[in-house]
Amino acid sequence: MNDEELDGLDRALIQALVIDGRAPFSRIAEVLEVSDQTVVRRYRRLRGAGLVRVVGLPVGSRVGLFESWLRIQCAPDAALPVAEALARRPDIAWVTMNSGGTEIHCMTRARTRRDRDALLLEKLPRTRRVTGISAHTILRKFFGGPDAWAGVDELRPDQIAALQRPPAGPAPERYVLDAAESALLAVLGRDGRAGYPELARATGLSESTARRRLERLRDLGALFFDVEFVPELFGYEAEATLVLTVPPARLAEVGNALAGHREVPFAAAVTGAASLMAVVVCRDTDALYTYLTEKIGAVDGVGQVEVIPALRSVKRAGMLVEDGRLVDPPPAPEPVRP
């Protein structure tokens, strides 16, 4: 088997990680009914080949991040350099090139309002060959983040149940991270399966304290583990962003409907002329057409729909994408240069 081929066990392992990215390999092996060594070997091959990454990410609404969806228009020869510069920023989670290669979409996760405004009001407007910017604040997520996308479907219901964690309990809407927790998240943002000795060194805590802090952040709903993989390996070749116009009285109803579609890994209410955006992943363009006509068309309350195909992923959940493979981001940010 070469590095870019997945068999049933590989796909089952990836789904297990989607359910719980920090599940012990011994537990995953028990559920998949294989040896611990087999699971470790498979994971190392998939990660080493850049086909899968597990990352630990903060839940923005719980820790006070300023999250926005940006649409950036560029001259054709400037789009790729601008997209790559944005992808190197640690406060940018996702970057795609869209609309014939002249529009960039990205998700910001700024820690302060000042950081967000500096990007929107200073850096991007001064960036050469950027011709337009629209910023849409994420108001409410209907699906995404801690929610496990249903696009991977290899495990039996009993196997899924054996891997699922209890849902996060009630907690204050905002949780203020201290310096040690911020350092912990910085490590997990590069490798969600980093060991406790590494987390202890990065935070200055003992291994047992680092373990307790991590579990506490998960229990409070302030931390989740995301699994990124190459969608084409699962047969998904068409990705697009939908921008939907929905009246305020129907927004929650339509958003929840989209959250129940297996084609949708992310859906959120946003500011702007159109009030809802969603990322859609389908097998091919024909399947995308079927989704639009049969599923979106059947949702009451949807007015206009703009379909924006994604041409290229530059960054996914904090991981850079190079030649169709996931690679670690650089340790230090490089700003968008004018």
Side-chain angles (χ1 to χ4, degrees), residues 70 89 92 108 115-125:
L70 306 186
R89 293 180 59 95
I92 301 290
T108 70
D115 290 343
R116 181 199 62 184
D117 292 348
L119 175 65
L120 296 179
L121 302 178
E122 299 173 16
K123 294 183 174 64
L124 280 172

Side-chain angles (χ1 to χ4, degrees), residues 179-239:
E181 290 164 340
S182 295
L184 184 146
L185 285 171
V187 175
L188 295 174
R190 299 175 64 84
D191 181 5
R193 295 194 65 89
Y196 292 108
E198 181 179 354
L199 296 177
R201 287 192 299 270
T203 60
L205 305 172
S206 68
E207 291 185 29
S208 60
T209 302
R211 182 192 296 269
R212 287 196 299 271
R213 288 288 190 96
L214 186 154
E215 291 301 322
R216 181 168 182 266
L217 290 174
R218 296 189 81 180
D219 291 341
L220 290 173
L223 166 67
F224 73 98
F225 289 91
D226 195 8
V227 178
E228 274 306 313
F229 52 85
V230 181
E232 290 84 354
L233 293 173
F234 287 84
Y236 296 103
E237 299 180 353
E239 184 174 334

Side-chain angles (χ1 to χ4, degrees), residues 105-285:
H105 292 182
C106 63
M107 287 284 186
T108 70
R109 298 170 64 87
R111 293 200 173 275
T112 67
R113 191 184 303 273
R114 178 177 296 180
D115 290 343
R116 181 199 62 184
D117 292 348
L119 175 65
L120 296 179
L121 302 178
E122 299 173 16
K123 294 183 174 64
L124 280 172
R126 294 203 305 263
T127 301
R128 189 170 48 190
R129 310 301 296 280
V130 168
T131 59
I133 306 167
S134 60
H136 308 265
T137 300
I138 303 295
L139 298 176
R140 176 70 58 84
K141 290 180 185 176
F142 295 106
F143 194 87
D147 302 307
W149 181 46
V152 186
D153 188 17
E154 290 288 330
L155 300 181
R156 303 186 307 266
D158 63 301
Q159 293 175 307
I160 293 172
L163 289 165
Q164 286 176 327
R165 286 173 53 89
E173 289 188 6
R174 293 290 175 87
Y175 178 84
V176 179
L177 299 169
D178 63 21
E181 290 164 340
S182 295
L184 184 146
L185 285 171
V187 175
L188 295 174
R190 299 175 64 84
D191 181 5
R193 295 194 65 89
Y196 292 108
E198 181 179 354
L199 296 177
R201 287 192 299 270
T203 60
L205 305 172
S206 68
E207 291 185 29
S208 60
T209 302
R211 182 192 296 269
R212 287 196 299 271
R213 288 288 190 96
L214 186 154
E215 291 301 322
R216 181 168 182 266
L217 290 174
R218 296 189 81 180
D219 291 341
L220 290 173
L223 166 67
F224 73 98
F225 289 91
D226 195 8
V227 178
E228 274 306 313
F229 52 85
V230 181
E232 290 84 354
L233 293 173
F234 287 84
Y236 296 103
E237 299 180 353
E239 184 174 334
T241 298
L242 305 187
V243 185
L244 303 94
T245 302
V246 181
R250 308 297 294 275
L251 188 53
E253 177 186 349
V254 174
N256 288 324
L258 264 64
H261 295 172
R262 65 176 293 120
E263 294 87 352
V264 176
F266 182 87
V270 297
T271 58
S275 51
L276 184 65
M277 65 83 64
V279 176
V280 176
V281 179
C282 296
R283 295 290 180 184
D284 50 32
T285 54

Side-chain angles (χ1 to χ4, degrees), residues 1 13 16 18 41 44 62-64 67 70 87 153 181 197 217 233 236 247 255 275 279 320 329 334 338:
M1 182 186 301
L13 171 57
V18 168
R41 185 173 63 251
R44 287 177 176 171
R62 280 289 173 91
V63 301
E67 298 180 302
L70 306 186
D153 188 17
E181 290 164 340
L217 290 174
L233 293 173
Y236 296 103
S275 51
V279 176
L320 301 181
E334 295 185 28

